Amino acid sequence: MFQFDKSKCLGNIYHLVKERGLKIGDLEDQAGVSIGYLSRLNKDDNKSTPGIEFLLAVAQVLNVSLEGLIMCDYAELSPDERKSMDFLTKLLTDTQTSEILWRKNARSELFALEHDDFGDVYAVHPLMEPFDDESEPELTTRFVSKYHPDWSAWITECFETYISEDVRLFLVAANFVAFQGEQVMGYELYMQVRGKVVPICYTVENEETPFYPLLNSLATSAKESASHVHLDEDARSAIDSYLGIDQFEFLNDNDVPF
């Protein structure tokens, strides 16, 4: 269970303020608190904790997620980890504002097999590979983690979205059987660029990675996004035309008779 670490959170704030070349007083002003608030809060004998509204405002000013601000240690991140964190932060924000829409892969997609021109079998889904399971009468597919290839793994949910015309993302929620039979749950994010699948980041239970809070929140938001009906631009335009919305575009508040 998550326990708020005041020292880590304040350390992140000071680290990010310095990194961005800001002044603490300017941050406090933009966050709506009095000058010296953070200094007083940071004293050893001050047992109070920052309020959620203040932390949300700080996260917005510093352009980070609330989850990252309170749960990660920015000073310890490598350059690649930091880039991945920044990417996840924007991805989460764009998902929550519906700038990016996710779709859940059906089980039929995950287990689909096809034959190439030479008669060889391949898995249709980019994250799956053919697998001859002795307990199954026919060839099937399996997911092999790029982070834990020696672990047995099965996907519980897989969501996908496009962030550009030729860049597709896959967010995987999976159960793993680790060494000595220990079962753990985790998330993995993959990017497919021009057909090549590239691992971006991961997190599993009982393993310290900086990505857990963001991947966990992203999975929740992606699931919410995938649960709704999404119209493309052509469908939306056709519906608007059918509803006659265009004829009201010229009206202003004074023209409306009620």
Side-chain angles (χ1 to χ4, degrees):
M1 182 179 295
F2 169 70
Q3 289 186 334
F4 178 71
D5 187 331
K6 176 182 170 182
S7 177
K8 178 189 290 185
C9 179
L10 294 181
N12 282 335
I13 292 174
Y14 280 102
H15 175 80
L16 292 168
V17 164
K18 181 178 180 181
E19 181 183 82
R20 284 158 170 69
L22 303 175
K23 294 181 179 179
I24 290 294
D26 292 338
L27 173 66
E28 291 170 328
D29 182 57
Q30 293 182 61
V33 296
S34 61
I35 302 300
Y37 173 77
L38 281 169
S39 178
R40 295 190 296 271
L41 196 64
N42 203 30
K43 290 182 177 179
D44 293 337
D45 59 350
N46 190 335
K47 303 302 181 184
S48 60
T49 57
I52 186 64
E53 291 185 359
F54 169 73
L55 293 177
L56 283 168
V58 168
Q60 184 174 13
V61 173
L62 297 176
N63 194 29
V64 296
S65 69
L66 176 64
E67 293 87 349
L69 187 66
I70 65 177
M71 297 180 71
C72 297
D73 190 343
Y74 278 91
E76 297 298 322
L77 296 179
S78 70
D80 280 350
E81 287 174 336
R82 181 58 187 276
K83 186 175 289 293
S84 295
M85 287 287 289
D86 292 342
F87 176 63
L88 282 175
T89 296
K90 178 169 174 51
L91 196 58
L92 176 60
T93 299
D94 288 348
T95 299
Q96 292 173 336
T97 58
S98 297
E99 294 294 321
I100 287 180
L101 305 176
W102 292 82
R103 185 180 71 84
K104 182 178 179 179
N105 291 153
R107 289 183 61 81
S108 58
E109 295 178 86
L110 297 174
F111 290 100
L113 293 167
E114 295 286 353
H115 290 82
D116 62 20
D117 294 339
F118 302 98
D120 295 325
V121 178
Y122 68 92
V124 175
H125 196 283
L127 300 186
M128 307 298 280
E129 64 178 33
F131 177 59
D132 188 5
D133 187 345
E134 295 180 355
S135 65
E136 297 290 338
E138 298 180 348
L139 197 67
T140 184
T141 65
R142 67 175 178 177
F143 168 65
V144 178
S145 167
K146 294 262 191 309
Y147 293 101
H148 301 97
D150 296 330
W151 293 4
S152 298
W154 60 96
I155 292 177
T156 57
E157 290 182 309
C158 182
F159 302 94
E160 70 169 77
T161 189
Y162 282 86
I163 58 174
S164 68
E165 186 175 340
D166 59 353
V167 179
R168 182 161 56 156
L169 297 180
F170 295 98
L171 177 60
V172 173
N175 288 324
F176 301 92
V177 178
F179 301 112
Q180 299 179 340
E182 179 188 8
Q183 294 192 23
V184 294
M185 184 269 180
Y187 300 107
E188 298 188 354
L189 182 66
Y190 293 89
M191 178 183 290
Q192 185 182 32
V193 185
R194 294 184 293 276
K196 179 182 178 181
V197 176
V198 181
I200 301 299
C201 59
Y202 80 97
T203 186
V204 294
E205 293 175 321
N206 304 325
E207 185 173 327
E208 290 292 331
T209 76
F211 304 111
Y212 174 77
L214 282 172
L215 282 175
N216 185 54
S217 294
L218 182 59
T220 300
S221 297
K223 186 173 184 177
E224 174 70 16
S225 173
S227 70
H228 295 289
V229 172
H230 302 299
L231 301 175
D232 65 18
E233 290 299 323
D234 291 337
R236 190 177 293 107
S237 177
I239 291 173
D240 286 346
S241 178
Y242 176 75
L243 293 175
I245 291 178
D246 291 346
Q247 66 180 317
F248 296 109
E249 287 184 350
F250 66 90
L251 295 177
N252 57 43
D253 290 342
N254 296 326
D255 296 323
V256 179
F258 51 84

